[in-house]
Amino acid sequence: MSHRNRFLRGAAAIASLSLVAGCGLLSDDDPGDQGPIVVGTTSTPSTLDPAGAWDGSWELYRNIFQTLLAYPNGATTPQPDAARTCAFTDSTSRTYHCELRAGLKFSDGDPLTADAVRHSIDRIRAIDAPGGPAGLLGSLDRVETSGDRDIVFHLNRPDATFPFVLATPAMSLVDPDDYPADALRKDTDVHGSGPYELRSYEEGERAVLERNESYQGFAKRRNDAVTIRYFKDSAGMVEALRDKRIDVTYRGLAADDIVALQEHDDDELQLVDGAGTDISYLVFNPGDPWAGRTAVRKAVAQLVDRGAIAHKVYKDTVDPLYSMVPKGLTGHTTGFFDDYGEPSVTKARTLLSEAGITRRVPLTLWYATDRYGSETGLMFKELKRQLDGSGLFTITLRGRPWKDFVTGYQHHEYPVFGRGWFPDFPDADDYIAPFVGEHNALGTPYPAKAITGRLLPHARAESDRARTVKDMEAAQRILVDDARLLPLWQGRQFVAASVDISGGEQALDPSTVMMMWTLHRKTSW
């Protein structure tokens, strides 16, 4: 994995980091506290109920809720958090036992018991929210409790990745008195057991977090309060950073703003450029009369110029991606490049003509107007230019705000739509399993029985994840042959901050979620 160091000016060094390992953000100095740390992002939560979100809402959840396991001190494997201990108790990775810390409480004083854990997990499956995280629990058979502190997870098949699942913010622990067993909670009065309490929340505007005095866990808080500001675009966020209305930006920096920060002297800001494992991709709806045809999907795959997208739209702040599993993870391949090579109109025309398609194919491509960064609309314009320019397609573009966009793909309204993916955990499994099966993160059923019935179960039985390469490569081969998911690019993570912000060595966990408690202001240089 390569790391690139850049400099804005003198002491405003740009640190490089490995986001996969969750290490190295900014230096760690004496923790002065001069009011809340204000973090800007373009990633607005879709819901405050963990049972309903498999998306960027996790950024908030990680800081106000607890999970049984998490990633302290830059760890890349899950460690106990709300739990005192967790481990498989059998040799087949089918029985997983956790013991809670003693005396855990939610921020409103209610006890956090084993029954609350069972309630939190069971309701995810019972509600089975469209686009929600129920798909992560496919290997779970039942949850059993004993007393107030012991929980046993009985799995229906071996699954060595189950501890990683429990460490995702989707498995946030909630109070049975506040969260219905069979419905999502709609209000904003949240009481978790995480490092912070959510004091107030204005949708699309801000979340105000203050230290939770009842918290018991591994987090060593270097500040007493954090305010998260939600922005519509990168330009407004960077302007707020320059005007000192926010201290840190995370998620959503536009390529132009990144380049400007890289190229211009600035002794008040620092920029972090780190390796990332987030990806962008297209999803084809198999129920659509055109997108449902394999030849059409393969023709699109043959025409898309990822290099042009990375260079022209993203100013080389992202890298072309030829597999759903990104570079840097065990099992990564380059299947789409191996099969299609460089973009070719001739090859695409042949794919269509061999399927009896001789007219221009009409396709409508949908995207979220306020998600995945300010370049999303420009990327889809570039895709339209490439596909229309081939003479083989007539492309119509449509965009919606995220909440409306989600509703649309959950109701199978889009022939083709764009999505992004930030990892649940650092394993190739997490770039394959969430997208296949009847219940998946896309709201679009994708049976793929060879993957769900054979390859994933076989790989999940293997505790040594390095020995899953063949299964992961075979799964990717199927995804390439189906061409229902078309990877476009792999991102890098950029964090801009004022030079007086410190304490972020472990700010990003392996799923690149920011742990706000590590941030603090420097008191001296």
Side-chain angles (χ1 to χ4, degrees):
M1 185 178 299
S2 63
H3 302 284
R4 298 167 58 187
N5 292 331
R6 300 174 182 264
F7 294 86
L8 294 179
R9 184 176 176 183
I14 299 173
S16 70
L17 70 159
S18 166
L19 296 189
V20 178
C23 59
L25 181 59
L26 310 169
S27 64
D28 187 9
D29 282 297
D30 188 64
D33 187 14
Q34 303 170 16
I37 303 292
V38 184
V39 178
T41 179
T42 61
S43 183
T44 305
S46 59
T47 172
L48 296 186
D49 190 329
W54 198 348
D55 57 28
S57 305
W58 290 9
E59 298 282 349
L60 182 59
Y61 300 167
R62 176 61 78 201
N63 293 279
I64 62 176
F65 294 106
Q66 266 186 304
T67 45
L68 289 170
L69 303 165
Y71 299 94
N73 304 320
T76 56
T77 56
Q79 306 296 322
D81 184 18
R84 189 183 73 84
T85 61
C86 283
F88 281 107
T89 58
D90 65 336
S91 60
T92 62
S93 300
R94 293 187 61 171
T95 305
Y96 196 71
H97 171 259
C98 290
E99 180 187 346
L100 288 175
R101 294 175 185 262
L104 287 176
K105 295 180 180 180
F106 292 102
S107 60
D108 63 355
D110 288 350
L112 197 172
T113 65
D115 284 342
V117 174
R118 182 175 58 189
H119 174 84
S120 301
I121 303 301
D122 283 349
R123 69 187 296 268
I124 294 172
R125 297 196 298 173
I127 296 170
D128 194 14
L136 285 169
L137 294 171
S139 65
L140 179 62
D141 180 30
R142 70 187 191 280
V143 185
E144 181 183 8
T145 62
S146 176
D148 286 340
R149 296 173 55 194
D150 286 290
I151 310 103
V152 178
F153 299 92
H154 297 278
L155 309 184
N156 52 39
R157 57 182 180 270
D159 186 359
T161 71
F162 190 72
F164 290 92
V165 171
L166 290 180
T168 66
M171 305 299 135
S172 294
L173 305 179
V174 298
D175 191 338
D177 290 343
D178 299 329
Y179 290 81
D182 56 359
L184 294 177
R185 184 175 176 179
K186 301 298 184 182
D187 61 49
T188 61
D189 187 20
V190 174
H191 297 104
S193 62
Y196 298 97
E197 292 185 66
L198 182 63
R199 285 298 189 182
S200 66
Y201 180 77
E202 300 171 61
E203 184 174 349
E205 296 293 332
R206 75 189 70 237
V208 177
L209 281 58
E210 295 182 4
R211 177 187 289 257
N212 175 14
E213 299 299 341
S214 300
Y215 171 70
Q216 295 187 60
F218 65 77
K220 293 178 172 59
R221 290 163 294 192
R222 303 300 304 276
N223 61 69
D224 288 328
V226 172
T227 296
I228 304 173
R229 288 276 312 279
Y230 299 111
F231 290 85
K232 298 296 183 184
D233 54 39
S234 174
M237 185 167 65
V238 172
E239 180 182 7
L241 179 67
R242 293 190 182 279
D243 292 345
K244 302 183 185 302
R245 287 179 282 126
I246 64 174
D247 301 301
V248 182
T249 71
Y250 186 55
R251 296 275 194 239
L253 279 176
D256 285 340
D257 291 319
I258 293 168
V259 171
L261 288 167
Q262 290 169 336
E263 293 181 349
H264 294 84
D265 288 346
D266 194 324
D267 58 3
E268 295 186 345
L269 298 178
Q270 55 188 323
L271 182 70
V272 178
D273 176 353
T277 53
D278 58 304
I279 66 172
S280 176
Y281 57 98
L282 295 179
V283 182
F284 292 84
N285 181 355
D288 181 78
W290 287 109
R293 301 184 67 171
T294 303
V296 169
R297 301 194 299 266
K298 289 189 173 183
V300 173
Q302 183 63 72
L303 292 169
V304 168
D305 188 339
R306 296 168 176 81
I309 292 171
H311 181 67
K312 293 171 62 176
V313 177
Y314 289 93
K315 312 297 171 59
D316 299 315
T317 60
V318 303
D319 299 312
L321 181 63
Y322 298 93
S323 166
M324 290 298 290
V325 176
K327 292 176 289 185
L329 292 185
T330 301
H332 165 73
T333 69
T334 55
F336 278 93
F337 185 82
D338 298 340
D339 276 23
Y340 298 100
E342 296 297 331
S344 170
V345 174
T346 300
K347 292 180 180 178
R349 181 179 290 111
T350 298
L351 286 166
L352 293 173
S353 62
E354 288 179 348
I357 302 171
T358 57
R359 54 168 289 191
R360 288 178 75 120
V361 176
L363 280 180
T364 300
L365 276 56
W366 286 83
Y367 63 94
T369 57
D370 56 353
R371 199 77 162 185
Y372 310 127
S374 304
E375 293 84 9
T376 302
L378 297 176
M379 180 181 75
F380 275 81
K381 288 180 180 178
E382 173 62 17
L383 286 168
K384 173 178 169 62
R385 186 195 68 79
Q386 293 177 10
L387 297 174
D388 282 349
S390 70
L392 303 175
F393 288 87
T394 299
I395 301 298
T396 301
L397 299 182
R398 293 283 186 269
R400 284 178 173 172
W402 175 248
K403 280 202 167 184
D404 295 333
F405 178 77
V406 171
T407 300
Y409 75 66
Q410 289 173 350
H411 288 85
H412 311 151
E413 295 177 10
Y414 311 145
V416 186
F417 60 97
R419 282 293 307 268
W421 186 253
F422 292 90
D424 303 322
F425 50 86
D427 192 286
D429 179 288
D430 191 51
Y431 290 85
I432 296 172
F435 310 128
V436 295
E438 292 297 328
H439 300 281
N440 60 52
L442 304 175
T444 303
Y446 185 178
K449 292 182 179 179
I451 298 177
T452 58
R454 178 169 55 86
L455 296 172
L456 288 178
H458 187 262
R460 287 175 172 176
E462 181 55 71
S463 58
D464 181 355
R465 303 309 292 162
R467 299 179 63 178
T468 66
V469 171
K470 289 185 178 180
D471 290 323
M472 295 297 102
E473 290 178 345
Q476 289 171 86
R477 177 72 262 160
I478 293 170
L479 297 181
V480 172
D481 290 343
D482 289 345
R484 282 185 49 174
L485 305 171
L486 185 64
L488 298 173
W489 54 257
Q490 175 176 350
R492 301 204 302 274
Q493 294 302 314
F494 294 89
V495 178
S498 62
V499 293
D500 67 337
I501 294 298
S502 183
E505 287 81 358
Q506 282 79 40
L508 305 176
D509 75 9
S511 56
T512 68
V513 170
M514 183 174 278
M515 299 178 286
M516 305 294 180
W517 57 84
T518 68
L519 302 174
H520 63 276
R521 302 183 193 280
K522 298 177 182 177
T523 56
S524 64
W525 283 90

